[in-house]
Amino acid sequence: MKKIYLLVITALVLVSCGGENKKNSMENVLSSNNLELLRQKRAEVVAEQHEANEKLKQLDAVISKLDTVKKVPLITTITAKQEAFNHYFEVQGNVTTKDLLVITPEYNGILTNVYVKEGQKVTKGQVLAKIDDGGLGQQLSQLQIQADLAKTTYERQKRLWDQNIGSEIQFLQAKSNYEAQQKAVDQIKQQVAKTTVRAPFSGTIDDVITEQGSVVAAGQSPLMRIVNLSNMYIETEVPERYIKDVTVGKHVDVEFPVLGKTVESNVRQAGDFINAANRTFKVEIGLPKGDNTIKPNLTAKLKINDYTNENAILIPQSVISENAEGEQYIYVVEDKNDKEEGVAKKVIIKTGKTQGDVIEVLSGIKKGAEIIKEGARSVKDEQTVKVININKDSIN
């Protein structure tokens, strides 16, 4: 009888426990809508999670001691070196020359003769064209005759006066008449000279604009265009923020997209005046002589050197990351052993100017630091890494 009673009690306990477990199952708790029961269940799950994490840590610690073949990230590195860094900014400019001029007449009249053709080379002072003088030549001849007579009279009166013969008034009248006639001749000669068009400098006649026989007006009618390509330069406008950096002698790379040509030059003149309309100042870039493919008004792309650091540390921009505070950082390898294994260390850096794919590092790393390149985005601070294919060349 006692045995039967014991069996019944045991069965009741088992049924009660099973019912309690079923009652506390996850499905029942979630569907119960009982806030207190839900909080109790969550506390149980958190406790189980903490217990599992502790067990995982203990297992990992033992495995790391026993595992002789460790799986570590493979990375490549570059060595920080000090090298010259030249920064350039780009602007656009136009080719021009001071020896480019459209010649206009100094005298009104008919263009009677044109002595040159397009493409003809001329020298300074060479006669290019002739304008009808409108009778000035005849006036000059008449005045010259009168001036010659006045000169003869003056010379005779002077000889007599030197011998104390004649009156002083006669001598002075002869002298005054001669000087007046000579000034009149010189004035007409100046007028006649304006009827002859001469080359103001040596160069090439690029275009004959006005044909022979046309009526021309002084200072208004364009006769021809003359150009000299031996003294060309590029003129550009540079923003005012570069006024301290762009000085005479700074290096410039000049590219002519139309010609597919690039030449090296220097700043030959930097303006001191800021244009209030666009906040720029003018800069002149010299061009090599003898290249006849470069023409006035040709467009050029200019890369002007505005900053140079002879001992800069340069790194690829691709290895730089940024944290939530806006700080830039990279990873370097420290404590490297003979198996090329080391520890990745996060380093906060300050950067300067960029040029192409590289950037200047102002602080944070020193010469000789081994910087993680390939794999820089995947490693973590204090993580063990293995270095392969070390590139110790400078970064360009």
Side-chain angles (χ1 to χ4, degrees):
M1 188 67 181
K2 290 181 178 180
K3 291 182 178 180
I4 294 173
Y5 181 73
L6 183 60
L7 289 173
V8 172
I9 294 175
T10 304
L12 289 174
V13 171
L14 292 174
V15 171
S16 176
C17 291
E20 185 68 24
N21 290 336
K22 185 176 181 181
K23 180 181 179 181
N24 291 332
S25 66
M26 182 63 73
E27 293 79 4
N28 291 337
V29 171
L30 292 174
S31 60
S32 68
N33 291 328
N34 187 325
L35 182 58
E36 184 177 354
L37 187 60
L38 288 168
R39 287 175 175 172
Q40 290 177 358
K41 191 62 178 177
R42 184 183 184 283
E44 292 177 7
V45 173
V46 171
E48 291 173 358
Q49 184 180 12
H50 287 325
E51 184 179 358
N53 288 338
E54 290 298 324
K55 291 179 180 179
L56 285 174
K57 288 182 180 179
Q58 294 174 9
L59 289 171
D60 289 340
V62 176
I63 290 172
S64 64
K65 292 180 180 178
L66 299 177
D67 188 8
T68 56
V69 181
K70 298 179 182 179
K71 293 183 180 180
V72 296
L74 301 179
I75 53 100
T76 62
T77 63
I78 51 177
T79 302
K81 285 188 174 182
Q82 288 183 333
E83 52 190 302
F85 173 58
N86 294 305
H87 182 266
Y88 294 82
F89 69 94
E90 296 186 11
V91 291
Q92 184 171 297
N94 291 320
V95 177
T96 186
T97 174
K98 296 187 184 298
D99 294 336
L100 173 62
L101 181 66
V102 174
I103 300 174
T104 57
E106 296 181 87
Y107 193 80
N108 297 322
I110 299 174
L111 188 64
T112 55
N113 296 96
V114 176
Y115 302 114
V116 293
K117 298 179 180 180
E118 294 178 0
Q120 180 177 336
K121 294 184 180 300
V122 296
T123 58
K124 183 178 181 180
Q126 181 176 334
V127 177
L128 307 179
K130 187 74 171 66
I131 301 172
D132 181 49
D133 60 19
L136 282 179
Q138 296 178 357
Q139 294 182 32
L140 177 61
S141 298
Q142 293 175 3
L143 286 175
Q144 188 64 59
I145 293 172
Q146 295 176 10
D148 292 341
L149 177 59
K151 181 181 180 181
T152 301
T153 303
Y154 165 67
E155 290 175 346
R156 289 181 178 179
Q157 287 293 333
K158 185 176 186 305
R159 286 196 296 269
L160 292 173
W161 178 248
D162 290 340
Q163 298 173 9
N164 294 323
I165 301 173
S167 65
E168 182 180 6
I169 190 65
Q170 291 176 326
F171 168 71
L172 294 175
Q173 287 177 344
K175 180 180 178 182
S176 176
N177 185 43
Y178 166 63
E179 291 176 349
Q181 292 294 335
Q182 191 59 49
K183 287 181 179 180
V185 169
D186 293 340
Q187 186 175 7
I188 293 295
K189 282 183 177 180
Q190 291 178 3
Q191 293 295 319
V192 172
K194 291 179 179 181
T195 65
T196 301
V197 180
R198 298 180 181 273
F201 51 81
S202 298
T204 302
I205 301 300
D206 184 63
D207 187 17
V208 176
I209 302 171
T210 303
E211 298 297 330
Q212 183 173 303
S214 301
V215 177
V216 296
Q220 298 181 9
S221 303
L223 300 182
M224 58 194 70
R225 180 167 52 245
I226 182 173
V227 60
N228 188 334
L229 302 182
S230 64
N231 188 26
M232 291 189 298
Y233 63 96
I234 298 173
E235 188 174 80
T236 186
E237 293 183 341
V238 175
E240 64 177 346
R241 66 178 178 273
Y242 295 108
I243 195 164
K244 289 185 178 180
D245 302 319
V246 178
T247 55
V248 175
K250 282 295 185 76
H251 182 266
V252 182
D253 289 328
V254 182
E255 179 186 358
F256 299 102
V258 174
L259 302 178
K261 177 183 296 186
T262 301
V263 298
E264 293 186 359
S265 186
N266 300 93
V267 175
R268 77 176 194 181
Q269 182 177 340
D272 295 322
F273 173 75
I274 303 296
N275 188 335
N278 56 13
R279 311 308 304 174
T280 62
F281 63 99
K282 287 187 177 181
V283 171
E284 291 184 7
I285 314 297
L287 284 175
K289 296 182 179 180
D291 191 342
N292 293 329
T293 62
I294 302 175
K295 308 293 184 182
N297 295 320
L298 191 65
T299 299
K301 291 183 178 179
L302 308 174
K303 293 182 179 180
I304 304 177
N305 173 228
D306 65 321
Y307 172 77
T308 298
N309 185 350
E310 296 295 338
N311 297 302
I313 294 179
L314 307 177
I315 63 174
Q317 296 189 58
S318 59
V319 305
I320 301 177
S321 300
E322 190 171 303
N323 60 24
E325 288 75 28
E327 297 175 319
Q328 293 179 314
Y329 65 89
I330 60 173
Y331 287 100
V332 298
V333 177
E334 296 182 356
D335 303 327
K336 194 170 67 174
N337 58 29
D338 55 356
K339 295 182 180 180
E340 296 297 326
E341 292 182 353
V343 178
K345 296 282 188 180
K346 180 191 287 188
V347 178
I348 303 297
I349 62 172
K350 291 184 66 176
T351 57
K353 295 182 179 293
T354 62
Q355 191 70 55
D357 297 329
V358 298
I359 188 168
E360 178 189 24
V361 178
L362 301 178
S363 64
I365 58 174
K366 296 182 179 180
K367 178 181 177 181
E370 195 168 342
I371 303 166
I372 296 178
K373 185 179 180 184
E374 300 295 336
R377 302 289 184 181
S378 58
V379 300
K380 297 180 180 179
D381 194 24
E382 302 294 339
Q383 184 179 16
T384 300
V385 294
K386 184 176 179 63
V387 181
I388 58 173
N389 298 327
I390 301 175
N391 177 17
K392 295 184 177 181
D393 295 333
S394 61
I395 305 163
N396 295 316

